[in-house]
Amino acid sequence: MKKRALLSEESRKNLPLEICMSYADTLTQMVNCKTVFTNDFANQAEYERFYKIIEERFPTLFEKAERLTFGSGCFVYVIRGNNAQKNVMLMSHHDVVDGSDDWKTDPFSAVITDGSLYGRGTIDTKTPLFAELQACEELLREGYDFNGINLYIGSSNNEEVCGDGMVLATDYFKENGIHFDAVLDEGGAITTGMLPGVKEKSAMVAVHEKSRHMYRCTARKKTKGHAGLNPTDDDMISQMSAFIQEVEHSKIYKSSFSPEVRATFEIHAPYMPFPLSVLMGNLNVFGPVVKRVMQKIPQAKAMLSTGISFTTIFGGTKEDPQIRAKEVVSTMFLRCVREDDLYRGLEKIKKIAAKYGVEIEETERDYCRPTSFENKPFKILESVICENFPDVIVSPFLLTAGTDARRFTDIAENILRFAPIDLDQAQYASVHGVDEHIKIQNIGQCVCFYKDFVKKYSNS
């Protein structure tokens, strides 16, 4: 990979401060709504206030776009373009995690300090949602015809709890034969210091996220009769424990560099100091060395292979503790990079299970196909990033967390995860943490980015 010439931060698209402050006023109102999802809907009044703010602050969008609702609060705005041949989805959820007493300010009473807006959701992810809505509001006011695309703006109310909002939305799209050329959700951002030795900023675009597979593992008592007369090795808890221990100590899944992980390192290699530049730029030669190092770092290790964890185990009864458990059940949680690799490893796990009389049944499959970073949608996104943030390195990567975008795997050709938020280390640490904040100038940059993305996609 060649090193791309990067411009200074001053070359970014920056709006006048007064415009950014007006944006911050709307974002403040959105942040001040405590949209923390609970199963008893304790914050439903806050959600209703949030929806009213959207209606009032984006009146042109509310008037001209069709609004679809799903479940208890997931919404999708639809703008139908002229001669539409493609459907494109912009996404950002509007629920947030709760705050804590450790905040310097009230997390749900946004304040501006030192050029930044502090409040829960300013990064994850009310700023991207605001910017998507504002970009479309302005385009509609300007009379933009969205030629060639139908634009969808989707936001679920329960993403943080793996809720059903966007699941119901995708069910609707499937039932109505609606297919998306591209989905752009949150999940990546502009960061600094995320790769060793790289001082430049990186725009990290997630083209894939690790998937979730749940399995019910069951050990059942086969002998009958009085517990005291049965052999002591007929113990379901021991059998299950032995099965779990062998699985966890066996090297079921081997490490490998998926195309997106390999690209992350190779694209950044020219910006690394020697000898890292040589190691990362020649993974065909030095891959085994790099993998050994990454295996010792939990976050890095997660990018290389399927992860296995046993999350629950149940057996026996409280009512009669002297009677051995007749059935012991454990939940096995697998997170894979590629599904074919997962199933190859699962065959090995089943052989171990057979040794201990454990049955395995899949209870949940939540797989998302990877998106090619050679495809046109990625190239469009890359060009928009470079135009708006010419001081950053653009790179695909594997997201080890999760987003609503994975729900679209059956109805979208290309799923990309990137929000144009410029995060320093303190901001990055504040996600789901304390003192979450966004730079005022960055709010305007986000609006410019989404306007440019929509225009470029509709003209492609």
Side-chain angles (χ1 to χ4, degrees):
M1 292 285 180
K2 291 184 178 180
K3 188 174 184 178
R4 184 171 68 86
L6 304 179
L7 302 179
S8 67
E9 189 169 331
E10 287 71 28
S11 61
R12 292 183 174 189
K13 286 190 176 181
N14 289 312
L15 295 176
L17 181 59
E18 58 267 26
I19 294 178
C20 295
M21 289 298 293
S22 70
Y23 290 163
D25 179 62
T26 298
L27 180 57
T28 293
Q29 294 195 38
M30 295 170 68
V31 168
N32 287 352
C33 298
K34 189 177 180 178
T35 52
V36 177
F37 186 83
T38 61
N39 290 324
D40 62 357
F41 302 103
N43 296 317
Q44 191 58 31
E46 294 290 307
Y47 275 96
E48 295 303 326
R49 184 160 69 98
F50 181 82
Y51 302 141
K52 188 66 175 177
I53 289 169
I54 291 177
E55 179 181 347
E56 293 172 348
R57 288 292 176 135
F58 309 104
T60 313
L61 177 68
F62 192 81
E63 176 190 349
K64 295 188 175 182
E66 177 185 2
R67 189 177 191 273
L68 308 173
T69 57
F70 305 96
S72 58
C74 176
F75 65 80
V76 178
Y77 283 99
V78 187
I79 302 172
R80 306 203 180 276
N82 289 345
N83 305 310
Q85 302 295 317
K86 301 174 182 177
N87 298 315
V88 176
M89 171 72 81
L90 301 179
M91 292 172 61
S92 281
H93 61 88
H94 58 276
D95 64 315
V96 298
V97 298
D98 209 342
S100 70
D101 295 336
D102 297 325
W103 279 66
K104 295 176 183 176
T105 62
D106 183 342
F108 297 102
S109 182
V111 295
I112 296 175
T113 304
D114 297 328
S116 293
L117 181 68
Y118 282 74
R120 174 62 82 211
T122 47
I123 296 173
D124 187 14
T125 59
K126 287 182 177 177
T127 294
L129 176 59
F130 159 77
E132 292 165 0
L133 296 171
Q134 183 65 33
C136 293
E137 172 75 12
E138 293 181 10
L139 288 171
L140 287 169
R141 283 185 202 166
E142 295 164 7
Y144 189 72
D145 61 7
F146 297 83
N147 188 56
I149 65 170
N150 293 318
L151 184 68
Y152 292 70
I153 309 167
S155 183
S156 67
N157 63 319
N158 52 13
E159 189 267 1
E160 294 287 6
V161 295
C162 296
D164 64 351
M166 206 51 72
V167 175
L168 295 171
T170 52
D171 287 344
Y172 167 85
F173 296 137
K174 290 177 184 178
E175 291 167 5
N176 288 273
I178 299 171
H179 193 272
F180 292 88
D181 191 65
V183 172
L184 178 59
D185 196 4
E186 51 95 14
I190 297 171
T191 59
T192 306
M194 299 304 292
L195 279 94
V198 179
K199 297 179 181 179
E200 291 81 1
K201 294 177 180 288
S202 299
M204 304 298 292
V205 181
V207 295
H208 189 33
E209 60 183 77
K210 292 191 78 171
S211 302
R212 300 162 172 78
H213 294 249
M214 304 287 284
Y215 293 87
R216 176 186 172 95
C217 305
T218 307
R220 291 187 176 89
K221 183 178 176 62
K222 292 183 172 58
T223 57
K224 297 180 180 180
H226 193 283
L229 301 178
N230 288 334
T232 57
D233 59 355
D234 185 15
D235 182 346
M236 300 301 99
I237 293 176
S238 296
Q239 286 178 225
M240 182 64 74
S241 298
F243 161 69
I244 293 174
Q245 186 175 36
E246 184 165 343
V247 170
E248 290 184 335
H249 287 82
S250 299
K251 295 181 179 179
I252 303 292
Y253 293 101
K254 307 299 182 184
S255 298
S256 64
F257 290 105
S258 62
E260 57 271 20
V261 172
R262 180 179 292 272
T264 299
F265 291 114
E266 291 180 343
I267 287 172
H268 284 88
Y271 304 89
M272 295 178 177
F274 179 83
L276 283 175
S277 58
V278 175
L279 290 172
M280 299 302 185
N282 297 276
L283 291 177
N284 288 335
V285 178
F286 298 108
V289 176
V290 176
K291 281 192 289 186
R292 281 199 295 271
V293 175
M294 292 179 67
Q295 287 283 355
K296 299 177 181 179
I297 307 170
Q299 288 182 325
K301 182 180 179 181
M303 296 190 293
L304 297 179
S305 67
T306 297
I308 307 175
S309 61
F310 290 87
T311 58
T312 61
I313 186 167
F314 298 98
T317 62
K318 292 181 180 179
E319 288 75 14
D320 195 344
Q322 298 184 60
I323 297 179
R324 289 186 195 146
K326 295 180 179 180
E327 180 178 278
V328 173
V329 177
S330 180
T331 300
M332 182 172 64
F333 183 33
L334 302 184
R335 297 207 63 200
C336 70
V337 179
R338 294 291 190 273
E339 202 169 39
D340 55 352
D341 176 63
L342 178 138
Y343 288 129
R344 282 195 298 269
L346 187 63
E347 291 305 311
K348 299 177 184 178
I349 294 172
K350 287 181 176 178
K351 289 180 180 179
I352 297 173
K355 288 170 53 179
Y356 300 101
V358 174
E359 301 171 4
I360 296 178
E361 175 189 7
E362 186 174 68
T363 57
E364 181 179 334
R365 173 182 178 266
D366 191 0
Y367 182 70
C368 184
R369 292 190 314 275
T371 292
S372 171
F373 46 89
E374 301 294 339
N375 283 358
K376 189 175 181 179
F378 183 90
K379 298 301 182 184
I380 291 173
L381 177 59
E382 182 179 33
S383 67
V384 174
I385 294 173
C386 290
E387 290 169 6
N388 283 266
F389 305 96
D391 59 322
V392 305
I393 306 161
V394 182
S395 173
F397 84 108
L398 168 68
L399 183 67
T400 55
T403 68
D404 266 337
R406 71 184 186 277
R407 313 295 191 184
F408 285 75
T409 193
D410 294 328
I411 55 172
E413 289 300 315
N414 302 277
I415 301 175
L416 304 168
R417 304 158 189 83
F418 173 78
I421 299 180
D422 186 357
L423 302 177
D424 58 27
Q425 290 298 311
Q427 288 175 293
Y428 185 81
S430 73
V431 177
H432 287 203
V434 300
D435 300 331
E436 187 178 349
H437 61 283
I438 183 83
K439 302 180 187 75
I440 297 297
Q441 195 73 54
N442 193 199
I443 301 172
Q445 292 168 343
C446 289
V447 176
C448 290
F449 168 85
Y450 286 113
K451 288 181 75 172
D452 288 350
F453 179 80
V454 171
K455 288 180 178 179
K456 182 150 285 191
Y457 217 104
S458 65
N459 291 322
S460 65

